[in-house]
Amino acid sequence: MSPKVTTELLKQLRQVMKSPKYVQEPVQAYIVPSGDAHQSEYIAPCDCRRAFISGFDGSAGTAIVTEQHAAMWTDGRYFLQAAHQMDNNWTLMKMGLKDTPTQEDWLVSVLPEGSKVGVDPFIIPADQWKTMSKALRSAGHDLVPVKENLIDTIWTDCPQRPCKPLITLGLSYTGVSWRDKIIALRSKMAERNVLWFVVTALDEVAWLFNLRGSDVEYNPVFFAYAVIGMNTIRLFIDGDRMMDPAVRQHLQLDSTLEPEFKIQVVPYGSILSELQAVAAGLSPKEKVWLSDKASYALTEAIPKAYRYLTPYTPICIAKAVKNASETEGMRRAHIKDAVALCELFNWLEKEVPKGTVTEIIAADKAEEFRSQQKDFVELSFATISSTGPNGAIIHYKPVPETNRTLSVNEIYLLDSGAQYKDGTTDVTRTMHFGTPSAYEKECFTYVLKGHIAVSAAIFPNGTKGHLLDSFARSALWDCGLDYLHGTGHGVGSFLNVHEGPCGISYKTFADEPLEAGMILSDEPGYYEDGSFGIRIENVVLVIPAETKYNFKNRGSLTFEPLTLVPIQTKMIDVNLLTQKECNWVNDYHQKCREVIGAELEKQGRHEALRWLIQETEPLIRVQ
Amino acid sequence: MSPKVTTELLKQLRQVMKSPKYVQEPVQAYIVPSGDAHQSEYIAPCDCRRAFISGFDGSAGTAIVTEQHAAMWTDGRYFLQAAHQMDNNWTLMKMGLKDTPTQEDWLVSVLPEGSKVGVDPFIIPADQWKTMSKALRSAGHDLVPVKENLIDTIWTDCPQRPCKPLITLGLSYTGVSWRDKIIALRSKMAERNVLWFVVTALDEVAWLFNLRGSDVEYNPVFFAYAVIGMNTIRLFIDGDRMMDPAVRQHLQLDSTLEPEFKIQVVPYGSILSELQAVAAGLSPKEKVWLSDKASYALTEAIPKAYRYLTPYTPICIAKAVKNASETEGMRRAHIKDAVALCELFNWLEKEVPKGTVTEIIAADKAEEFRSQQKDFVELSFATISSTGPNGAIIHYKPVPETNRTLSVNEIYLLDSGAQYKDGTTDVTRTMHFGTPSAYEKECFTYVLKGHIAVSAAIFPNGTKGHLLDSFARSALWDCGLDYLHGTGHGVGSFLNVHEGPCGISYKTFADEPLEAGMILSDEPGYYEDGSFGIRIENVVLVIPAETKYNFKNRGSLTFEPLTLVPIQTKMIDVNLLTQKECNWVNDYHQKCREVIGAELEKQGRHEALRWLIQETEPLIRVQ
């Protein structure tokens, strides 16, 4: 990778930062955050403005350009990548290191007195605006919204905003009609005395209307907003996709409906003016509900006294708790996904010794097997296919420059997943196609112990996921080892592979309590820089647990693995497992054999079935 | 307990709330928080204003009195007690329950438009003021500081503020002279570019000057503030205790010293005016460092631009990491404390079957045995001596009305500790003087497993205590059980038995990372309302751990128990323990036998020694 040459671009940006055509007053600094107007984690090419201006295209990073400087803040996952991709116009700000200034502190240290700092108010979340604005103001500067995105003014070949056809999901997939979701949402609004709800996150719009799209790679979402009143529904969306008869019928656009369920379709770009109109019509005590992560532009459209902000919206919380239809869909998706992986691993076991399989070939092969499965839509994220030292790069994605050939001498880590119409998958397996060393087996076994400790944990109803994180680390900690990422994230149902409001992490974040029906990943790991990476990841469903007692009648929860792919027993040092852990592995493999075996049989995939049976032989622990 | 009759008092309070003698403008509500001007957890009788006005004397609670209402917010520990102690002028606001309004919401719901809410600015911490003031302002009301405490104006027989003699601690106790502590503090101030540091917490003043007092029961502190400049030291303290030659010599008040170590003794009451004078002399960029929990009055004395606020002061953090002299002192104190408890438990085992020992007698006996030990000063908190159902009341303190007789049929829980000149102790043991039921043993064993899981945990340097909390609960959770309190708190060195900035809790709080030398409690429990309570508590020292590997060179930590009192093996269902847990108990008991046995021998306490030997017989686990 050679760095992007940005001298000319920065010059142009600095010009528009002073141009009366775009800014009321010149801005001395311009902030280019990662996100889009919906605060999405994955963004469309037209929203990759930070990558355009800097060259750095990792998933997290904020660029700030002043008249003299250009600086990029990113986290530990991306220090190397950012350093490679940016030319020396840029200073890399390594977040998490002690001496790295915050964006605010840095701005204060470099700006001339009384500076204006510009940002696109649609891209910056309201909570970040608040913090940044306060810090700048207290140092005598001003954060100002710049209506026109300044990057867009210099990005001559900026791709168009995608506007792809929609997929409608029937009741067999969603379990609840959009109409019933609106009713439930309005009842939550009534509880809080709120008259309007603004849906800003793309996956929340998709979930609410039981629609899916493909505007953003890996995430089956489409660009839209919605504003739900007690008697009105407005969907802000562009393109002729609303002409599709299937969509019209799904949304009952041409039916005579009670007026409160009549959907008004409005252009995507009119959200701000429509919200301003809503705000203008409010009487005292009438409130508008928004996520506190909504953009500054939309938040600001509602006068403060009328705003009702929460960290998680009722849609986010309802979406996280999967109903029976969604859970069944997720089960089906995970069975299909396991079939594809059995095929892949069987194929790899034969092909790797020949020395012809690279990381990219393996990733492509995984996609090929997945795409053979029913209702396959696309991958759910860029496949992490990494062997040897590449496995230690936690968010690795093979590219020609780094592409390594799989061999019988190195550990191979595959973290991959897919979108099926009935569910989303995300699974990591770590394999050795030769003979692992005792040390590799030891590390793998600690990671496995952590994986089991979370998966088999029993905990009271209402427990927050972050309280389970240390269970995943305990076996590693005992030997002085650890891993520097969280243990699990929420997973959508044919939606984003990362979703709130639950998770399992040592980082304190305002996660919502776990409840039955939530779906998360369980993915501890161990990484040795320059040598190898190990991660074992299942998607797990929160289910009620039967316990001997029931303190304060709270009830208990535990997890059921939805992922049913063998965990390579060759990598396990069985003497490091307790009998309970050994039983867990054997029970898990028994279930893989039964459930996936039946499906492989049904699909006539006999060779993969033989592989599955061989891989699920019970472990025997010598006392 | 009959409730306090408060009708007349409330009438008087409502009068002064309108009296121009005390308030510039009438206040429609007056807030009476729990604390004193130092935000102490334990307070002197003269500061028990909330108890005076309401009758409720639990350790936590906030009273708010309006023209029409009187309401008390307290937490789950005190729902019953508060309901018993308050008459029906008062509404109990049960914090933590879903439907309980916050103080702010309640005020907004009951106050007439444009109300003034008064509070003593010395009693309310600045951070609480901020939250409360913001909420009130956004609803059109005002929080106003009322200079004279309105409770004091109607409290005719208010006790005097204590002003007891001071104890000086030499280097053999403290390890570091006050002079060196000042030097270290000034270097922290220089690091942060701060010119002044205001010491507001009583234990921080005591620690800084290597002085102790007895102004507050159980906490060896004295009423004082200090203001440390780069060249000046001001100690705000009242009474003739500064006339004591030992104190004068300790502080070198009469020596010729470099001016920057010359202590100026100033009256306690002049802190505000002195701080205002300091503030008036500040130039731009000169900062004053305060805890963000300091009172609103003192915080407000420093203009915002000059304030440097942190949740934990450098003194709080330095105080938490005990040096070798303090650690050795803590060890000595715990040995003496164990001797006293061996005597007590031996005595109880003989006396309980006679049916003559009540909870109060047992508590008194514990104090008697402790007071026989060298350098005993006082108890470190009110002894929790509870049998049968009283054991389920987590913060129980026996009083004549509830006093229960110990018997061979009930579980007995004793949570007690003392202040010795060399250290502070806090230990809980749960005993049965007859034959425990299988269920009682089962519950006890789960609690023990949790205790061991924390005590034996190995974790990376820099881990925060809250990440260890779930280890203490895991065995209970597996069976559907739990306990509704945190697992551990910091412990002072001949100082407060509860101190920051570390702890072990499921509640997310901004705890500082654990480091070697910190001292905490490890005290999981299980409580069955109406039946029994179980808690096993040791004070433990954070020490470096030897591990097989050392990820990123971070190093690992673990705990060493300082408390060396046998854990009743009769209560253990040994078959529920793993071999590792069984070994832990046996190793622990071996150490108790060696260390405490030697001390009992030395003190000629032969009967207690026989008891210790019998109680520390190794457990044998049948495979």
Side-chain angles (χ1 to χ4, degrees), chain A residues 311-385:
Chain A
Y312 299 111
T313 69
I315 298 184
C316 171
I317 293 169
K319 176 165 62 62
V321 183
K322 275 68 178 176
N323 60 41
S325 306
E326 290 170 321
T327 307
E328 280 319 301
M330 287 293 269
R331 275 186 216 284
R332 284 196 306 275
H334 280 83
I335 291 171
K336 294 183 284 189
D337 211 55
V339 164
L341 285 186
C342 287
E343 283 280 15
L344 174 76
F345 291 136
N346 174 52
W347 182 83
L348 284 176
E349 218 152 68
K350 285 185 308 178
E351 298 298 319
V352 167
K354 300 178 189 163
T356 52
V357 183
T358 64
E359 294 167 340
I360 294 178
I361 290 174
D364 290 347
K365 199 74 188 173
E367 181 164 6
E368 181 191 324
F369 282 122
R370 284 191 162 105
S371 68
Q372 294 165 3
Q373 294 298 314
K374 193 180 160 221
D375 279 343
F376 170 84
V377 178
E378 60 172 334
L379 298 185
S380 57
F381 58 96
T383 299
I384 300 173
S385 169

Side-chain angles (χ1 to χ4, degrees), chain A residues 391-392 394 413 482-483 485 525-529 532-535, chain B residues 551:
Chain A
I394 295 170
L413 184 159
D482 197 7
Y483 55 95
H485 59 71
Y526 176 67
Y527 310 91
E528 200 142 302
D529 283 348
F532 62 83
I534 292 167
R535 184 159 64 248
Chain B
F551 180 64

Side-chain angles (χ1 to χ4, degrees), chain A residues 130 134 304 439 442-443 446 456-460 463 466-471 473-474 477-484 505-508 526-529 546-552 554 556 580 623, chain B residues 130 134 304 439 442-443 446 456-460 463 466-471 473-474 477-484 505-508 526-529 546-552 554 556 580 623:
Chain A
K130 202 173 157 184
K134 204 174 149 186
K304 212 169 165 182
Y439 177 61
E442 184 186 357
C443 296
Y446 296 146
I458 294 173
F459 48 90
T463 300
H466 71 258
L467 292 171
L468 308 179
D469 184 75
S470 298
F471 291 152
R473 298 176 201 272
S474 180
W477 282 357
D478 277 345
C479 292
L481 303 180
D482 197 7
Y483 55 95
L484 300 182
S505 179
Y506 61 98
K507 289 175 200 154
T508 309
Y526 176 67
Y527 310 91
E528 200 142 302
D529 283 348
E546 290 299 320
T547 52
K548 191 169 174 187
Y549 306 113
N550 187 6
F551 179 65
K552 302 256 179 211
R554 283 192 299 177
S556 292
K580 235 172 121 181
Q623 281 285 346
Chain B
K130 201 173 160 186
K134 202 174 153 187
K304 211 169 165 183
Y439 178 61
E442 185 186 355
C443 295
Y446 297 147
I458 294 172
F459 48 91
T463 300
H466 72 257
L467 292 171
L468 308 179
D469 185 74
S470 298
F471 291 151
R473 297 176 201 273
S474 181
W477 282 358
D478 278 345
C479 292
L481 304 180
D482 197 7
Y483 56 94
L484 301 182
S505 179
Y506 60 99
K507 289 175 201 157
T508 309
Y526 176 67
Y527 310 91
E528 199 141 302
D529 283 349
E546 290 299 320
T547 52
K548 190 167 174 188
Y549 307 112
N550 187 6
F551 180 64
K552 303 257 178 209
R554 285 192 297 177
S556 293
K580 234 172 124 181
Q623 281 285 348

